[in-house]
Amino acid sequence: MKKILLMLTIISLSVVAKAQFEGSKQIFESPNLKSEISEHKLVAILPFDTKISYKKQPKNFSVEGNKEQEKTMSKSIQSSMYTFLLRKGKNYSVEFQDVDKTNILLKKAGMADKLDEFTKDEVAKALGVDAVLGGRFETEQTKSEAGAIASAVLFGGFGGKTGTGTLTLTLNNGVSGNLLWRFFKTMDDGITTSTDDLVERMMRKVSRNFPYTK
């Protein structure tokens, strides 16, 4: 009987957690979204603005090392998103520029690592695309991996949260630079989830609301 009650409790917690995960989503669509994206053929995915912080700073924390990790994650998310969209290419009405080409063109234009100094239409013009897809990923690590594992053992897997993350995606028209679409999502980062898995999970949520879906 105790085992049955325990299982029911775990299932209930799972349902609640899933509902909270699904509920933490916000979407903005411009009134001109459909008319403007109908003209788009090629879209560039920009490197993400990434921020990694800690609720309690770890021992031997390095500011420079943290910045380097943020830079690596920025390109990793950009690459993972491109791979995901490329895999699902037949479902979309546009093509996505190869991210290696995007980054080379940004470097040649003097825009690499300082995209916040340029307007979206300036970036799109430098890349020769109809629209730019960019965004921001923030993660705050709230618990050590060892502590998360201990909690997971104690609470049957419902304590393994090591941090929280937020993903913001934006789509801007290339000609005007105007914001056409914005997607915001929050999620938990667990001990059993790699960075690639996190991107996969987030992109599956994004894809259900993606403007270019046929």
Side-chain angles (χ1 to χ4, degrees):
M1 186 65 179
K2 288 183 178 180
K3 287 184 179 181
I4 294 174
L5 288 173
L6 179 60
M7 287 299 296
L8 288 173
T9 301
I10 291 173
I11 292 170
S12 298
L13 287 171
S14 178
V15 170
V16 170
K18 185 176 181 181
Q20 290 175 338
F21 181 86
E22 293 291 344
S24 55
K25 177 171 67 177
Q26 300 173 14
I27 303 170
F28 162 78
E29 290 186 1
S30 165
N32 304 320
L33 176 64
K34 290 185 178 180
S35 61
E36 295 202 25
I37 66 173
S38 65
E39 303 295 325
H40 296 172
K41 295 181 180 178
L42 183 63
V43 178
I45 304 166
L46 304 178
F48 273 62
D49 181 12
T50 306
K51 180 177 177 59
I52 302 171
S53 60
Y54 298 86
K55 193 168 185 178
K56 183 179 180 181
Q57 216 171 75
K59 293 179 181 179
N60 303 319
F61 176 81
S62 166
V63 174
E64 290 303 316
N66 196 62
K67 286 182 179 179
E68 192 61 34
Q69 189 178 358
E70 289 175 341
K71 189 175 179 180
T72 299
M73 183 176 283
S74 170
K75 297 290 179 65
S76 177
I77 295 175
Q78 178 197 26
S79 179
S80 294
M81 184 173 294
Y82 174 63
T83 300
F84 182 92
L85 295 174
L86 200 64
R87 234 174 48 228
K88 307 286 184 178
K90 64 181 181 180
N91 299 327
Y92 304 125
S93 59
V94 296
E95 292 185 5
F96 299 95
Q97 187 176 73
D98 185 280
V99 291
D100 289 334
K101 181 177 181 178
T102 296
N103 293 336
I104 290 171
L105 291 175
L106 288 174
K107 189 173 182 179
K108 286 184 177 180
M111 296 178 173
D113 300 324
K114 52 181 180 179
L115 288 172
D116 58 339
E117 298 179 16
F118 298 90
T119 62
K120 291 297 191 293
D121 49 305
E122 288 175 330
V123 174
K125 184 177 180 181
L127 297 175
V129 295
D130 302 307
V132 289
L133 180 67
R136 179 175 176 83
F137 179 74
E138 296 184 56
T139 178
E140 181 184 51
Q141 298 301 303
T142 57
K143 189 184 294 186
S144 69
E145 185 170 312
I149 292 171
S151 296
V153 171
L154 287 172
F155 299 105
F158 289 96
K161 189 178 82 170
T162 58
T164 58
T166 62
L167 172 73
T168 303
L169 283 178
T170 55
L171 178 69
N172 292 74
N173 193 38
V175 175
S176 64
N178 292 338
L179 178 66
L180 298 178
W181 176 81
R182 183 181 184 274
F183 180 98
F184 174 83
K185 190 89 174 89
T186 61
M187 64 185 301
D188 294 332
D189 180 5
I191 56 173
T192 59
T193 309
S194 67
T195 302
D196 287 341
D197 289 336
L198 288 174
V199 171
E200 180 80 11
R201 284 168 57 198
M202 288 187 292
M203 286 308 300
R204 286 189 180 280
K205 299 298 180 183
V206 170
S207 66
R208 297 173 188 176
N209 303 276
F210 202 58
Y212 297 114
T213 302
K214 291 180 180 178

Short mmCIF file of all heavy atoms in Angstrom, two decimals, residues 61-84:
data_model
loop_
_atom_site.label_atom_id
_atom_site.label_comp_id
_atom_site.label_asym_id
_atom_site.label_seq_id
_atom_site.Cartn_x
_atom_site.Cartn_y
_atom_site.Cartn_z
N PHE A 61 36.52 30.29 -8.67
CA PHE A 61 35.78 30.93 -9.77
C PHE A 61 36.68 31.92 -10.50
O PHE A 61 37.40 32.71 -9.89
CB PHE A 61 34.55 31.65 -9.21
CG PHE A 61 33.78 32.42 -10.26
CD1 PHE A 61 32.90 31.77 -11.10
CD2 PHE A 61 33.96 33.79 -10.39
CE1 PHE A 61 32.19 32.47 -12.07
CE2 PHE A 61 33.25 34.50 -11.35
CZ PHE A 61 32.36 33.85 -12.19
N SER A 62 36.63 31.88 -11.81
CA SER A 62 37.42 32.78 -12.66
C SER A 62 36.50 33.58 -13.56
O SER A 62 35.71 33.01 -14.31
CB SER A 62 38.40 31.97 -13.52
OG SER A 62 38.94 32.76 -14.56
N VAL A 63 36.58 34.90 -13.48
CA VAL A 63 35.76 35.77 -14.32
C VAL A 63 36.06 35.53 -15.79
O VAL A 63 35.14 35.40 -16.61
CB VAL A 63 36.00 37.26 -13.96
CG1 VAL A 63 35.24 38.16 -14.94
CG2 VAL A 63 35.54 37.54 -12.54
N GLU A 64 37.34 35.45 -16.12
CA GLU A 64 37.73 35.22 -17.51
C GLU A 64 37.29 33.85 -18.00
O GLU A 64 36.83 33.68 -19.13
CB GLU A 64 39.26 35.36 -17.67
CG GLU A 64 39.77 36.79 -17.51
CD GLU A 64 39.11 37.73 -18.50
OE1 GLU A 64 38.98 37.37 -19.69
OE2 GLU A 64 38.73 38.84 -18.09
N GLY A 65 37.43 32.86 -17.12
CA GLY A 65 37.00 31.51 -17.48
C GLY A 65 35.49 31.44 -17.69
O GLY A 65 35.01 30.75 -18.59
N ASN A 66 34.75 32.18 -16.88
CA ASN A 66 33.30 32.22 -17.01
C ASN A 66 32.90 32.88 -18.33
O ASN A 66 31.98 32.42 -19.02
CB ASN A 66 32.68 32.97 -15.83
CG ASN A 66 31.19 32.73 -15.70
OD1 ASN A 66 30.76 31.61 -15.48
ND2 ASN A 66 30.40 33.79 -15.84
N LYS A 67 33.60 33.96 -18.69
CA LYS A 67 33.32 34.65 -19.95
C LYS A 67 33.60 33.73 -21.14
O LYS A 67 32.88 33.73 -22.14
CB LYS A 67 34.15 35.92 -20.06
CG LYS A 67 33.67 37.05 -19.17
CD LYS A 67 34.51 38.31 -19.37
CE LYS A 67 34.00 39.45 -18.49
NZ LYS A 67 34.83 40.67 -18.66
N GLU A 68 34.67 32.96 -21.03
CA GLU A 68 35.03 32.03 -22.11
C GLU A 68 33.97 30.94 -22.23
O GLU A 68 33.62 30.51 -23.34
CB GLU A 68 36.40 31.41 -21.83
CG GLU A 68 37.00 30.67 -23.01
CD GLU A 68 37.24 31.54 -24.23
OE1 GLU A 68 37.57 32.73 -24.05
OE2 GLU A 68 37.09 31.03 -25.35
N GLN A 69 33.46 30.49 -21.10
CA GLN A 69 32.41 29.47 -21.10
C GLN A 69 31.13 30.03 -21.73
O GLN A 69 30.44 29.33 -22.48
CB GLN A 69 32.13 29.00 -19.67
CG GLN A 69 31.20 27.79 -19.60
CD GLN A 69 31.00 27.32 -18.17
OE1 GLN A 69 31.56 27.86 -17.22
NE2 GLN A 69 30.16 26.30 -18.01
N GLU A 70 30.82 31.29 -21.44
CA GLU A 70 29.65 31.94 -22.03
C GLU A 70 29.79 32.04 -23.54
O GLU A 70 28.84 31.81 -24.29
CB GLU A 70 29.46 33.33 -21.42
CG GLU A 70 28.98 33.31 -19.99
CD GLU A 70 28.92 34.69 -19.36
OE1 GLU A 70 29.58 35.62 -19.90
OE2 GLU A 70 28.22 34.87 -18.35
N LYS A 71 30.99 32.39 -23.99
CA LYS A 71 31.26 32.51 -25.43
C LYS A 71 31.11 31.16 -26.13
O LYS A 71 30.54 31.06 -27.22
CB LYS A 71 32.67 33.06 -25.65
CG LYS A 71 32.99 33.42 -27.09
CD LYS A 71 34.36 34.07 -27.19
CE LYS A 71 34.69 34.42 -28.64
NZ LYS A 71 36.03 35.05 -28.77
N THR A 72 31.62 30.10 -25.48
CA THR A 72 31.51 28.76 -26.04
C THR A 72 30.05 28.32 -26.12
O THR A 72 29.61 27.76 -27.13
CB THR A 72 32.30 27.75 -25.18
OG1 THR A 72 33.68 28.13 -25.17
CG2 THR A 72 32.17 26.34 -25.73
N MET A 73 29.29 28.59 -25.05
CA MET A 73 27.89 28.22 -25.03
C MET A 73 27.10 29.00 -26.08
O MET A 73 26.18 28.46 -26.70
CB MET A 73 27.28 28.45 -23.64
CG MET A 73 25.84 28.01 -23.52
SD MET A 73 25.17 28.18 -21.84
CE MET A 73 25.91 26.74 -21.07
N SER A 74 27.47 30.25 -26.31
CA SER A 74 26.81 31.09 -27.31
C SER A 74 26.86 30.44 -28.69
O SER A 74 25.83 30.32 -29.37
CB SER A 74 27.49 32.46 -27.36
OG SER A 74 27.03 33.22 -28.46
N LYS A 75 28.04 29.99 -29.08
CA LYS A 75 28.21 29.34 -30.39
C LYS A 75 27.60 27.94 -30.40
O LYS A 75 27.09 27.49 -31.42
CB LYS A 75 29.71 29.26 -30.73
CG LYS A 75 30.40 30.61 -30.88
CD LYS A 75 29.94 31.33 -32.12
CE LYS A 75 30.63 32.69 -32.25
NZ LYS A 75 32.08 32.59 -32.44
N SER A 76 27.64 27.27 -29.24
CA SER A 76 27.08 25.93 -29.14
C SER A 76 25.57 25.95 -29.35
O SER A 76 25.01 25.10 -30.07
CB SER A 76 27.41 25.32 -27.78
OG SER A 76 26.82 24.05 -27.64
N ILE A 77 24.89 26.91 -28.74
CA ILE A 77 23.44 27.01 -28.90
C ILE A 77 23.10 27.39 -30.33
O ILE A 77 22.16 26.83 -30.93
CB ILE A 77 22.85 28.04 -27.92
CG1 ILE A 77 23.04 27.56 -26.49
CG2 ILE A 77 21.36 28.27 -28.20
CD1 ILE A 77 22.60 28.55 -25.43
N GLN A 78 23.86 28.30 -30.90
CA GLN A 78 23.65 28.69 -32.30
C GLN A 78 23.78 27.49 -33.23
O GLN A 78 22.93 27.25 -34.09
CB GLN A 78 24.68 29.76 -32.70
CG GLN A 78 24.58 30.20 -34.15
CD GLN A 78 25.84 30.94 -34.62
OE1 GLN A 78 26.93 30.71 -34.09
NE2 GLN A 78 25.68 31.81 -35.59
N SER A 79 24.83 26.70 -33.02
CA SER A 79 25.07 25.52 -33.85
C SER A 79 24.00 24.45 -33.65
O SER A 79 23.51 23.84 -34.60
CB SER A 79 26.45 24.94 -33.52
OG SER A 79 26.71 23.78 -34.27
N SER A 80 23.61 24.22 -32.39
CA SER A 80 22.60 23.22 -32.09
C SER A 80 21.25 23.60 -32.70
O SER A 80 20.52 22.74 -33.19
CB SER A 80 22.45 23.05 -30.57
OG SER A 80 23.62 22.52 -30.02
N MET A 81 20.94 24.88 -32.65
CA MET A 81 19.68 25.34 -33.23
C MET A 81 19.67 25.15 -34.73
O MET A 81 18.68 24.72 -35.32
CB MET A 81 19.42 26.81 -32.88
CG MET A 81 18.08 27.31 -33.38
SD MET A 81 17.72 28.97 -32.78
CE MET A 81 17.57 28.65 -31.03
N TYR A 82 20.80 25.47 -35.36
CA TYR A 82 20.91 25.29 -36.81
C TYR A 82 20.73 23.82 -37.18
O TYR A 82 20.01 23.48 -38.12
CB TYR A 82 22.27 25.80 -37.30
CG TYR A 82 22.54 25.53 -38.76
CD1 TYR A 82 21.75 26.11 -39.75
CD2 TYR A 82 23.59 24.70 -39.15
CE1 TYR A 82 21.99 25.87 -41.10
CE2 TYR A 82 23.83 24.46 -40.49
CZ TYR A 82 23.04 25.05 -41.46
OH TYR A 82 23.29 24.80 -42.79
N THR A 83 21.38 22.94 -36.42
CA THR A 83 21.27 21.50 -36.67
C THR A 83 19.83 21.03 -36.53
O THR A 83 19.32 20.26 -37.36
CB THR A 83 22.17 20.71 -35.70
OG1 THR A 83 23.53 21.11 -35.88
CG2 THR A 83 22.05 19.21 -35.95
N PHE A 84 19.17 21.51 -35.47
CA PHE A 84 17.78 21.12 -35.25
C PHE A 84 16.89 21.59 -36.40
O PHE A 84 16.09 20.82 -36.94
CB PHE A 84 17.27 21.72 -33.93
CG PHE A 84 15.86 21.33 -33.59
CD1 PHE A 84 15.60 20.21 -32.81
CD2 PHE A 84 14.77 22.06 -34.06
CE1 PHE A 84 14.30 19.84 -32.50
CE2 PHE A 84 13.48 21.69 -33.76
CZ PHE A 84 13.24 20.58 -32.97
#
